[in-house]
Every structure is written in C-alpha cells, then in structure tokens.
Amino acid sequence: MSTRFTRRHATALALCAVTVAALQGVASPMAGASQQAPSAAAPAQAPASAVGLVEDQTARALATSLTDQRWGAQIRSAALASEQVDLRALTDRATARAGQALAPAVARGDQRIAEAKGLGADTGSLLRLRLAADSMRDELAAGTAPLVAAAGTDDSAETITAYDSRGRAHTLDASRTPDRPVYVVDIDVTKAMAAGLGVVDKELTKRGLTSAEAPQARTEARTQNRAAAAGFWTTRVDSVYLSNDEEPWISGDAEIFSIVSGFGFDGKVRVDTVTMPYLDNDGTTYYPNQILVNWSSYKYNLADVVMMEDDGDTNYQALAKAIADILLTITDQGAYIPLVNAILDAIPTSWWTNDPDYVDSWYTLAQNSSGRLNGARGNGWMTVSPYFVQQF
C-alpha cells in the first residue's frame, strides 16, 4: 500500500521519526474483469518485489489446488469463518491430498518473505488468505468457483492478475470490485511489523541509538532541572486524520508504526519505535489519546515527525541500518537542526519505486505544542496536547 489508508483484510506504515534537538509499494467474462489473459503463462506484469513474487507464486499454486473439491471446501469454510486465514496452519492440518501437497511450498514462502523483510527465521507463518470483499461472501457460500490473486505491493497498478483452478490468468480491473469471489494471498503485516520493529530496536540499540536504561547524564539533568516533578511531560496524539485516496479493492488495512528520535542527554541520537495500529482507513478521524513523545528522554524541546507506511515490502533490517548510518553522522551542536530530510534521505531507494511509502512530515514539535498540526505534505493532520504522566 502507498499513502492510501484502507486496512488490508489480512493487514500503513507510518514512519514517525520524531527528532528532538539539535540536528532529523478464463475463461468467462465477469463483472469488474477484463477478458481473460490468453494463456496460463506468467501474468502480464511481473511482481515488482520479492514479497510480491512469493504472493503471486503462492496464489497460483493455491488456485490450481482447488481442483480438489474436498480441499476447496475446507478453504471456503475457513475464508467464510475468518477475515484472515493462516495459510501454513491451514495446509498443515489439511486432510485433503491437495492441501497436504501445498504445505511445503507455503512453508518455503514464509521463509522467503521473512528474508525479504529482514526478519528472523523464527518469525513463523506470514502468508495469509482472505476474501477480497464482504460483498463476495454470498457467492462464495453458494459454491461459485473463486479466483485467487496476490495482494501485491503496487497501489498504482490498474489491473490485477488472478488465477482459476486450471492455472489460467484473468486480468481484473483494479478500480472495480468483481462479483465473482476472489481469494487474496497476502501477508500478516501486523505480525511482520511487530517482528520488524523488534529487529529495528535491536539494531539501533546495537548501534548505540537507544538504551533500555537512562544514562547517568539524563538522571543528573532530571535531578537538576525537574526536581519538583514527580513524573514527566509527553506529547499526546488526541486525534489524527489521513487524507482520502482511491485504493484498489484488493488492498486491505494498513499497518502504521512510528520511529521517534531525538538527542538524548548524552549528546547521542536516541530512537524509539511506536506503533499506530488503529490507523486503518483514509478519510477517518481517529482519537487514540496515544503518547507520541516522552520528553524526559530528550535533551532539546523540539521534534520532527515523518510518517510512512508499510506496503508489505518493508525490509526492517535495511531500514534500521539506513537510519542508523545517517543518524550516527549527526552530532549534537547545541542548537536545533531539523532531521526530516536526513531521515527521508536514509530511506532505501527501493521504497520510492512503485509505492511512495512516505506519507507526511511534521516539523518543530515542542513540549507545549497543542491543537491541530497540518502535515507539511498536506496529506494529513493531527491534534496534540501536552500530557503529564504522574508517578505513583
């Protein structure tokens, strides 16, 4: 997904880099489909990413497995019973031969996706299956043969390739939801994001950009400057809104995370990750009352925010390394210097191909900032307020 915020019904990435301080993608015609592709060969447009390739290969293999009616019935029941079906779990417990035969390929697909996203081998199952739209439920329940498509990572695509049980490719209109049921092979971005942020935290900590314990310098500063305070000040997000963008019917919910960074009291850049899982839909105002910045962690009273989204293709290891490499070159000069451009420059070039994962930016957030703050890009706004967290 790009800057279109509609939750994947299997799983937006918001990279919020809050930087305090001195420097900061058959045969028969059907509604919503064009004519069938002329052969069962590879789709007209090759997937643009490693994750998309695995999704597409899995979608085609799953489609051809539906010739086994017993297996097809098991998948149908699972898809109707849940918004998101764990494909590995489904194939592992398959009683039909076609499902059992598919299990090794699904397990390999999970491993390849984990590698492509920079996740550990212990991440577990990531491939998921879902029905593309609730409007398809009645047709699926009535026994209409479904097509199978990959969710993909390119929101700008005008067509979607789906496969039938004979492996034949159909070209669907990305802007029009088909009447015929379509299974979508996707990944669990929520699970991948949780694992990915663990990778980011671990890498940044290793590079000295975060610490579990407050440094002695911070303790001394608190004692000296905030002796009377029995708690700490934060910036709280009271409400947030992301602009409306058209999105293909095949896409689902977005998963959002934030990276909060600034200068610690030791003069080094500090980075913390924050998830924003409630940001599901565009054109919707959310009221999370979520703490975004803990000002007691930082030396300066200014912050910058960069929002981005995960289109399923995010390599968290590469992200952590890129951010660390550039932030480690920035030193505390004793005055505020915006870091938004530094953060954006650090993002791997591949993120700007097909899917613009960058959403918006907020500059010069301060401890006393309050009210509505429009994003510099004009793609969203948030209202914030100072919030004091008291000690018990």
Side-chain angles (χ1 to χ4, degrees), residues 357-375:
D357 302 287
Y358 168 53
V359 176
D360 217 326
S361 306
W362 284 261
Y363 290 77
T364 60
L365 185 67
Q367 180 178 308
N368 63 350
S369 294
S370 62
R372 174 167 166 166
L373 304 177
N374 294 319

Side-chain angles (χ1 to χ4, degrees), residues 5 20 57 63 84 103 133 135 137 181 209 248 275 333 345 349 356 390:
F5 292 82
V20 181
Q57 292 172 339
Q84 179 173 258
S135 60
R137 294 179 65 85
L209 295 173
T275 60
Q333 300 297 318
D345 287 344
T349 304
Q390 290 187 319

Side-chain angles (χ1 to χ4, degrees), residues 23-359:
L23 286 167
Q24 325 167 342
V26 188
S28 50
M30 65 199 77
S34 66
Q35 292 296 321
Q36 170 202 348
S39 71
Q45 287 185 323
S49 70
V51 172
L53 179 60
V54 173
E55 290 178 349
D56 186 77
Q57 292 172 339
T58 304
R60 188 169 181 179
L62 181 65
T64 58
S65 75
L66 296 179
T67 54
D68 185 328
Q69 293 185 356
R70 183 180 175 190
W71 170 237
Q74 185 177 352
I75 294 178
R76 183 187 306 113
S77 296
L80 290 172
S82 175
E83 290 187 357
Q84 179 173 258
V85 180
D86 184 327
L87 265 181
R88 192 190 300 189
L90 187 65
T91 55
D92 283 348
R93 66 172 182 265
T95 55
R97 185 171 299 176
Q100 295 170 351
L102 192 62
V106 171
R108 287 194 298 272
D110 279 334
Q111 293 171 358
R112 289 168 60 194
I113 288 174
E115 291 172 0
K117 292 182 70 62
L119 306 178
D122 59 348
T123 303
S125 63
L126 289 170
L127 283 166
R128 296 293 184 265
L129 178 75
R130 59 180 169 84
L131 192 59
D134 286 339
S135 60
M136 302 173 178
R137 294 179 65 85
D138 290 344
E139 286 293 321
L140 181 65
T144 301
L147 298 175
V148 186
T153 60
D154 185 1
D155 286 346
S156 64
E158 296 181 355
T159 60
I160 294 163
T161 299
Y163 302 100
D164 63 22
S165 61
R166 296 176 64 181
R168 296 179 296 190
H170 298 251
T171 300
L172 309 181
D173 185 343
S175 65
R176 184 181 177 193
T177 304
D179 295 331
R180 182 173 178 176
V182 179
Y183 290 145
V184 178
V185 173
D186 207 340
I187 66 170
D188 187 339
V189 180
T190 301
K191 182 177 182 179
M193 185 178 72
L197 293 184
V199 169
V200 171
D201 289 341
K202 183 176 180 180
E203 178 67 18
L204 295 179
T205 298
K206 184 174 71 174
R207 304 288 292 274
L209 295 173
T210 66
S211 61
E213 300 295 332
Q216 182 64 28
R218 188 173 91 180
T219 301
E220 293 174 355
R222 279 182 176 176
T223 301
Q224 186 176 41
N225 301 323
R226 303 170 188 169
F232 55 90
W233 281 100
T234 68
T235 290
R236 183 176 64 183
V237 178
D238 298 318
S239 61
V240 59
Y241 175 95
L242 298 175
S243 296
N244 188 19
D245 275 308
E246 291 185 10
E247 179 143 87
W249 53 266
I250 199 169
S251 298
D253 291 352
E255 292 300 330
I256 300 195
F257 71 81
S258 307
I259 292 180
V260 180
S261 66
F263 276 88
F265 287 95
D266 58 358
K268 296 180 181 179
V269 174
R270 176 185 174 87
V271 180
D272 299 289
T273 58
V274 178
T275 60
M276 305 177 82
Y278 48 86
L279 271 171
D280 293 343
N281 301 302
D282 59 354
T284 301
T285 302
Y286 293 91
Y287 302 88
N289 292 323
Q290 180 185 31
I291 290 175
L292 185 62
V293 187
N294 177 351
W295 292 103
S296 70
S297 297
Y298 302 112
K299 180 179 179 180
Y300 298 101
N301 183 31
L302 285 174
D304 297 331
V305 178
V306 179
M307 278 194 174
M308 300 192 68
E309 65 164 326
D310 185 352
D311 59 5
D313 230 7
T314 307
N315 185 309
Y316 290 94
Q317 188 67 47
L319 173 64
K321 184 179 184 303
I323 291 176
D325 284 347
I326 199 163
L327 292 184
L328 284 171
T329 67
I330 300 173
T331 57
D332 181 4
Q333 300 297 318
Y336 170 74
I337 300 175
L339 283 168
V340 166
N341 291 343
I343 293 292
L344 295 181
D345 287 344
I347 295 168
T349 304
S350 61
W351 282 30
W352 306 102
T353 304
N354 296 325
D355 278 325
D357 302 287
Y358 168 53
V359 176

